[in-house]
Every structure is written in structure tokens, then in C-alpha cells.
Amino acid sequence: GENVEQHPSTLSVQEGDSAVIKCTYSDSASNYFPWYKQELGKRPQLIIDIRSNVGEKKDQRIAVTLNKTAKHFSLHITETQPEDSAVYFCAAGDDMRFGAGTRLTVKP
Amino acid sequence: DTAVSQTPKYLVTQMGNDKSIKCEQNLGHDTMYWYKQDSKKFLKIMFSYNNKELIINETVPNRFSPKSPDKAHLNLHINSLELGDSAVYFCASSRGGVPSGTYEQYFGPGTRLTVT
């Protein structure tokens, strides 16, 4: 099955800074790469996703980039705000393997 | 109008007991999943069903048995509960088709299981 690695495990930034989280995957057949946000005590929710036929997708302050050759994809959050503080998960593979998660803290 | 619901939300029980968690989705999705999230927040897939058929069965103890009476429901039964089973269990669903992993997953609110 797919093997997904996510880095860093924790990330602390100042409000207004950018945050980048990176994931690598092993199965070159994977073609769908979602990112989920999980706030404390809540369920994971999709914030952005990308398919393998595009290299980048943007939605306001959030963007995802995909490098199929290198088998990695990244989440970019610009102008971070305290409400961005959460655990972020990437996923890949037909069987939706999740990365280990990144705890993002945005300090006001 | 809840999309994916789970019951109960909290479950406290003693070691050795048998318990069940129920999940229902009203999104018309063909694929449903069970995930276990431990204290370190790692989301580990346990099972996946597509149209009532088991398609992913990870290496979990056989004390865990999923049951899908219809494509809108996926229940999880756990026998002989152990301390290490304490975790939050999430049900999720996604659109069907092959491969089933290429669509957004909608998660239920989670069931926090505490085994004492």
C-alpha cells in the first residue's frame, strides 16, 4: 500500500507569516492528494485537494503544489491567522493513507 | 441534515467488555471507512467498505469486526476490549467508483472510547 510521510510534525509561526507543510508518497499511481484540517476536539475536514493532472491549486490563503516526479506535495498557508492553528493531515493512495499530521501553532 | 453521524459520542467501558459503535451517512456515498486516532493524533485506517463489500482490512486485531448492513451504514464491533483500544474512532464516507480513494472523505464527529 501507499506510504505517506509528513514533515514537520510541529510548526510554530508568527501571525502573518507563511507556513509550509510537506508530504512525500511512495506509490507513483496515486492521483489524488487531499489536505485535511483538524481543530481540537473536532473531526478532520478537507481544506484543499489536488489531482495529478495539475501542479498547483490555490484557494485564497491556501495553496497546494504537487511534484509527481519527486512524489511530493506541499500545503502553503500565507498570512497565517490564529484560527489556522490546528493539526493538518495530508493523504494519498487509493486506500487513503494519512500522514502523521503537523501541529501548526500561529502565535498572535 | 447531518452528513455522517456516529453513536455514541463517548464510550467508557471496562476491559474485557464487548462494545459497538454505529455509523450512518446520508450522502449517498458508496464507500465508508473506519479510522482509529490515538493520543498522538495519528489517523490509522482500519477498514473500508464499498457497496457493503470489504475492500480494505488493515492489520488490526480480529477482535475488531466491521459490519455493513447497507451502504449507508458501517458499524464497528469490538470484542474483549483492552486498554490499548482507548482512542477516538472516526467513521468516514466518500463517493464510490474505482479507485475509491480519489474522492473527498467526509468524517463523522468521532467516538471517544475509554477502556478502564
Side-chain angles (χ1 to χ4, degrees):
Chain A
E2 179 66 271
N3 182 37
V4 180
E5 294 192 1
Q6 183 173 344
H7 299 281
S9 57
T10 60
L11 180 58
S12 182
V13 299
Q14 233 18 75
E15 183 177 358
D17 287 350
S18 295
V20 181
I21 304 169
K22 185 174 176 177
C23 283
T24 60
Y25 61 97
S26 59
D27 187 353
S28 56
S30 290
N31 58 16
Y32 176 64
F33 307 93
W35 285 92
Y36 290 82
K37 176 183 180 182
Q38 186 179 25
E39 295 177 354
L40 189 63
K42 297 193 175 176
R43 72 192 81 187
Q45 289 191 292
L46 183 81
I47 53 171
I48 196 166
D49 56 12
I50 193 168
R51 296 191 181 272
S52 58
N53 56 347
V54 297
E56 183 173 359
K57 183 176 177 180
K58 194 172 179 182
D59 182 5
Q60 299 182 335
R61 297 186 297 108
I62 296 172
V64 55
T65 58
L66 171 65
N67 184 327
K68 282 223 78 179
T69 305
K71 289 192 273 189
H72 65 71
F73 56 111
S74 299
L75 177 70
H76 304 254
I77 306 174
T78 57
E79 300 171 32
T80 53
Q81 300 166 3
E83 51 265 38
D84 295 329
S85 296
V87 179
Y88 291 81
F89 294 95
C90 63
D94 292 350
D95 51 1
M96 278 290 102
R97 301 288 164 157
F98 279 74
T102 297
R103 184 177 299 277
L104 173 65
T105 303
V106 180
K107 298 180 202 170
Chain B
D1 60 347
T2 305
V4 182
S5 59
Q6 290 178 234
T7 53
K9 190 162 180 162
Y10 299 96
L11 188 51
V12 181
T13 188
Q14 291 185 324
M15 284 173 55
N17 285 348
D18 302 338
K19 290 292 177 187
S20 292
I21 306 171
K22 295 187 175 182
C23 177
E24 177 180 1
Q25 54 96 3
N26 62 7
L27 297 167
H29 288 165
D30 291 322
T31 306
M32 296 185 72
Y33 310 78
W34 277 111
Y35 286 88
K36 178 182 180 181
Q37 187 170 49
D38 59 24
S39 56
K40 294 184 179 177
K41 300 299 182 186
F42 185 63
L43 264 172
K44 178 177 161 50
I45 190 166
M46 301 172 70
F47 303 103
S48 173
Y49 270 75
N50 180 270
N51 275 319
K52 300 184 354 180
E53 182 183 341
L54 181 66
I55 55 173
I56 294 173
N57 185 0
E58 281 300 284
T59 47
V60 299
N62 57 14
R63 299 180 294 104
F64 290 80
S65 53
K67 281 209 170 44
S68 182
D70 55 62
K71 75 173 197 177
H73 296 84
L74 180 62
N75 303 324
L76 183 66
H77 189 75
I78 316 169
N79 288 329
S80 304
L81 278 154
E82 300 178 357
L83 291 176
D85 297 333
S86 295
V88 178
Y89 291 83
F90 284 101
C91 175
S93 74
S94 68
R95 272 201 288 161
V98 178
S100 62
T102 56
Y103 298 96
E104 174 184 359
Q105 289 186 314
Y106 292 79
F107 284 82
T111 296
R112 183 174 293 276
L113 171 65
T114 303
V115 182
T116 61

